[in-house]
Amino acid sequence: MNVELLQALNELVHDRGIDRQVVLDAIDAAIQQAYKRNYESDGGAPNIRVELDDHSGQLRVFVRKSVVEQPSKGKAEISLEDARRINPNYQLGDTVEVEIAPQELGRIAAQSAKQVVVQRIREAERQQIYEEFATKVDDIVNGAVQRRDQRNVYVDLGRIEGVLPAKEQMPGDHYRQGDRIKAYVTEVKKTPRGPMVMLSRTHPGLLRRLFELEVPEVYEGTVEIKAVAREPGHRSKIAVSSRVEDVDPVGACVGQRGRRVQSVVAELRGEKIDVVQWEEDPAKFVANALSPARVSEVYPDPTQGVARVLVSDTQLSLAIGKEGQNARLAAKLTGWRIDIKSESQRAELEAALEEQRKREAELAEARKKAAAARAAAHAEAAEPAVKPAEEPAAEGAALPTPGREAPAAEVPQPAHTGVPAASGQEPGARPEPAEAEAAGQKETLPVDADLLDSLLEELLSHEKPQGPAGQPQAEAGKGREPKAPAAKGKAKKEKTVLKGLDALEHLKEILQPEEKEGKPSDGGGPAENP
């Protein structure tokens, strides 16, 4: 019996191609389930452990039972007395493994075990088939037509059946039972009945794989297929390039006297195939894609993705093709929309090209402006955020007090400053420029920053402004009624303003000396001595 079990196990592994350990695990699970079902009918469901020797085929089954005083769950428990007969060291609560003979298994339990083994083996086989064909997606397979219904064709692929839907069949194909065909694997699905392999005869990948089978240079990678465009059953175009300078890619794919390409045409039931040279230059690539027509000139427009092609009047119909097939396939192959014009339509082509040049010029100008705007934005972002220095007040104008507006009245100038008032300027005064006055700006003096800082520090160091006679303000006001605190503060501020204007005028005379005596000054009158 054990020898027969091993023989059946070996045949199953060999025929189905299943892993041996998978079959052993299936037998183990089947026996456990059968014994559990047998013991459930006796009031318990104990743990079962199965040992199967892979070399001798000996099968041993052990039942785990709990040690109790009085067994109440049938064969799932054992009394302490019976447990100590096996081993005197057992105590209450321990687990005892008792070996049972396989002959105790009933007919129903044996049938259940058989079903479990078959189900496990079938699942393992389906998983193996799925993994095998999942690696063949985007690849080509060879099979025989097994049957067909109103829509689909079923192809025998050996261990599984492939499905060729109606939309994936070529118009010129006529399938008869037993015909050998090559198909492209598009998808592998998992279904309750097992994996399903979906096939196609119209996919562009089929043409690519057929050339790999027929052309060794393509299979080895010396010649690369860059693009494929198909109208299944009618015509196709492929663009090829060579990675080795000495190898002609078009000649390698066509073969001697066209034998290689004719083999692919025969497999595709007479579908015409054009092999063209791939070029990096769009104009040359479009010209090659329109083969066998001879192209005079090509004007690609990258902004709109249009390639305008000029051909002779005799080549116009050949370039367009039957019902536009040649131009349509060339557009699919290159990715450009192709507009074909003849020599008699050159005027229309030139007008379109002129419009294209204007559009390109506008686009270039827009890009230039955008680049300038971006550069200005970057420069502004990189410039440190430093607050510009305040411009000095106009001559004769009052400096505004912090927190309040500048007074409308004019501030009188001291006699010793030499700065005229805002109105009624003397002939030797410097008038403000008309342009600055019209723009609402004030004239700024080019002063030395260090000297200005030192003079301002000296100005701010005077806490008590002096009166006109050089006496403190309090002494100059003797005999008068005391002013209100606000009036005193205002007079103090006005004195500070006068002192600042005096210092600024002095600084102006130092940094911008008047012209020498005898030459007219800025105001047009004679120069005055300070």
Side-chain angles (χ1 to χ4, degrees), residues 128-138 185 187-188 197:
Q128 186 178 13
I129 294 173
Y130 174 80
E131 293 176 356
E132 176 185 352
F133 281 90
T135 60
K136 294 183 178 181
V137 175
D138 297 335
V185 180
E187 186 182 5
V188 180
V197 181

Side-chain angles (χ1 to χ4, degrees), residues 1-169:
M1 182 67 181
N2 295 336
V3 177
E4 294 178 357
L5 179 62
L6 285 179
Q7 290 179 354
L9 179 63
N10 293 332
E11 290 178 1
L12 186 63
V13 170
H14 182 268
D15 294 341
R16 301 292 182 91
I18 305 174
D19 188 9
R20 189 181 187 87
Q21 187 61 39
V22 173
V23 180
L24 294 176
D25 293 342
I27 295 174
D28 192 328
I31 295 175
Q32 287 188 23
Q33 185 171 350
Y35 270 92
K36 284 182 180 180
R37 180 168 297 184
N38 189 30
Y39 274 87
E40 284 176 359
S41 62
D42 199 13
N47 294 327
I48 304 294
R49 185 172 67 87
V50 179
E51 287 185 0
L52 179 61
D53 191 348
D54 191 14
H55 300 285
S56 62
Q58 183 179 1
L59 180 66
R60 302 179 64 186
V61 182
F62 297 90
V63 179
R64 296 187 180 93
K65 298 183 178 183
S66 299
V67 179
V68 296
E69 286 287 350
Q70 295 294 332
S72 60
K73 294 184 179 180
K75 296 181 180 181
E77 295 178 345
I78 188 173
S79 63
L80 180 60
E81 182 180 355
D82 294 340
R84 287 182 174 177
R85 289 177 184 174
I86 301 173
N87 191 341
N89 297 326
Y90 281 123
Q91 300 294 332
L92 293 175
D94 292 345
T95 301
V96 180
E97 283 192 350
V98 179
E99 184 177 0
I100 58 176
Q103 288 79 7
E104 296 182 7
L105 195 64
R107 182 181 62 83
I108 298 177
Q111 188 69 21
S112 300
K114 179 182 177 181
Q115 293 177 358
V116 171
V117 171
V118 172
Q119 182 66 22
R120 289 290 186 92
I121 292 175
R122 184 179 293 114
E123 291 177 358
E125 186 179 8
R126 288 176 177 176
Q127 181 63 26
Q128 186 178 13
I129 294 173
Y130 174 80
E131 293 176 356
E132 176 185 352
F133 281 90
T135 60
K136 294 183 178 181
V137 175
D138 297 335
D139 203 352
I140 196 170
V141 292
N142 193 358
V145 177
Q146 188 173 13
R147 57 190 176 90
R148 65 173 304 169
D149 54 20
Q150 295 180 354
R151 295 180 55 83
N152 302 329
V153 175
Y154 298 91
V155 182
D156 184 12
L157 301 177
R159 301 176 60 188
I160 195 173
E161 205 173 57
V163 181
L164 183 62
K167 63 179 181 179
E168 300 294 339
Q169 300 174 16

Side-chain angles (χ1 to χ4, degrees), residues 439-460:
Q441 299 177 352
K442 299 177 181 179
E443 183 182 4
T444 58
L445 301 176
V447 298
D448 187 271
D450 296 336
L451 182 58
L452 180 59
D453 291 341
S454 62
L455 291 175
L456 291 178
E457 289 177 2
E458 181 182 357
L459 173 64
L460 296 176

Side-chain angles (χ1 to χ4, degrees), residues 6 32 67 78 120 125 179 184-185 203 222 228 298 328 334 350 354 370 375 383 435 504 508 510 514 525:
L6 285 179
Q32 287 188 23
V67 179
I78 188 173
R120 289 290 186 92
E125 186 179 8
D179 289 348
Y184 185 79
V185 180
H203 198 280
T222 305
V228 178
V298 179
R328 188 166 56 249
T334 59
E350 290 178 354
E354 184 64 24
E383 190 174 289
E435 294 82 6
L504 290 174
K508 172 184 174 185
I510 294 174
E514 299 290 344

Side-chain angles (χ1 to χ4, degrees), residues 61-361:
V61 182
F62 297 90
V63 179
R64 296 187 180 93
K65 298 183 178 183
S66 299
V67 179
V68 296
E69 286 287 350
Q70 295 294 332
S72 60
K73 294 184 179 180
K75 296 181 180 181
E77 295 178 345
I78 188 173
S79 63
L80 180 60
E81 182 180 355
D82 294 340
R84 287 182 174 177
R85 289 177 184 174
I86 301 173
N87 191 341
N89 297 326
Y90 281 123
Q91 300 294 332
L92 293 175
D94 292 345
T95 301
V96 180
E97 283 192 350
V98 179
E99 184 177 0
I100 58 176
Q103 288 79 7
E104 296 182 7
L105 195 64
R107 182 181 62 83
I108 298 177
Q111 188 69 21
S112 300
K114 179 182 177 181
Q115 293 177 358
V116 171
V117 171
V118 172
Q119 182 66 22
R120 289 290 186 92
I121 292 175
R122 184 179 293 114
E123 291 177 358
E125 186 179 8
R126 288 176 177 176
Q127 181 63 26
Q128 186 178 13
I129 294 173
Y130 174 80
E131 293 176 356
E132 176 185 352
F133 281 90
T135 60
K136 294 183 178 181
V137 175
D138 297 335
D139 203 352
I140 196 170
V141 292
N142 193 358
V145 177
Q146 188 173 13
R147 57 190 176 90
R148 65 173 304 169
D149 54 20
Q150 295 180 354
R151 295 180 55 83
N152 302 329
V153 175
Y154 298 91
V155 182
D156 184 12
L157 301 177
R159 301 176 60 188
I160 195 173
E161 205 173 57
V163 181
L164 183 62
K167 63 179 181 179
E168 300 294 339
Q169 300 174 16
M170 291 171 48
D173 281 350
H174 300 283
Y175 304 100
R176 295 176 297 181
Q177 187 175 3
D179 289 348
R180 304 291 299 183
I181 62 171
K182 291 183 176 67
Y184 185 79
V185 180
T186 58
E187 186 182 5
V188 180
K189 299 180 179 179
K190 282 187 176 181
T191 64
R193 295 184 178 182
M196 179 182 294
V197 181
M198 306 303 296
L199 305 177
S200 174
R201 293 267 296 172
T202 61
H203 198 280
L206 176 63
L207 187 60
R208 185 186 298 269
R209 297 300 181 187
L210 288 175
F211 270 97
E212 289 181 359
L213 292 177
E214 297 294 336
V215 183
E217 289 84 357
V218 176
Y219 181 78
E220 294 171 358
T222 305
V223 175
E224 182 181 2
I225 299 177
K226 289 287 189 177
V228 178
R230 282 192 72 190
E231 288 191 359
H234 301 287
R235 193 172 182 178
S236 300
K237 286 180 180 287
I238 65 170
V240 295
S241 66
S242 176
R243 297 178 179 176
V244 180
E245 296 182 358
D246 298 337
V247 177
D248 178 18
V250 177
C253 293
V254 173
Q256 188 177 7
R257 296 183 181 180
R259 292 178 181 177
R260 292 178 176 178
V261 71
Q262 288 301 325
S263 300
V264 179
V265 170
E267 179 61 35
L268 297 179
R269 303 292 194 270
E271 180 177 320
K272 297 180 180 180
I273 301 175
D274 295 337
V275 183
V276 301
Q277 173 78 37
W278 182 85
E279 294 288 348
E280 190 173 357
D281 185 6
K284 294 181 180 180
F285 188 26
V286 171
N288 294 340
L290 288 172
S291 174
R294 293 189 299 274
V295 176
S296 301
E297 297 178 11
V298 179
Y299 304 95
D301 184 4
T303 59
Q304 294 186 346
V306 179
R308 295 179 174 87
V309 180
L310 182 65
V311 298
S312 62
D313 293 342
T314 58
Q315 295 289 316
L316 180 61
S317 60
L318 186 60
I320 296 175
K322 184 180 180 180
E323 298 178 356
Q325 186 183 67
N326 191 54
R328 188 166 56 249
L329 286 174
K332 289 181 181 179
L333 189 70
T334 59
W336 290 75
R337 291 188 291 116
I338 299 177
D339 184 13
I340 303 176
K341 301 290 184 182
S342 63
E343 291 288 349
S344 59
Q345 298 172 329
R346 179 180 286 272
E348 298 180 10
L349 179 61
E350 290 178 354
L353 292 176
E354 184 64 24
E355 184 67 24
Q356 175 184 339
R357 294 188 192 98
K358 291 181 180 179
R359 187 168 54 254
E360 290 177 354

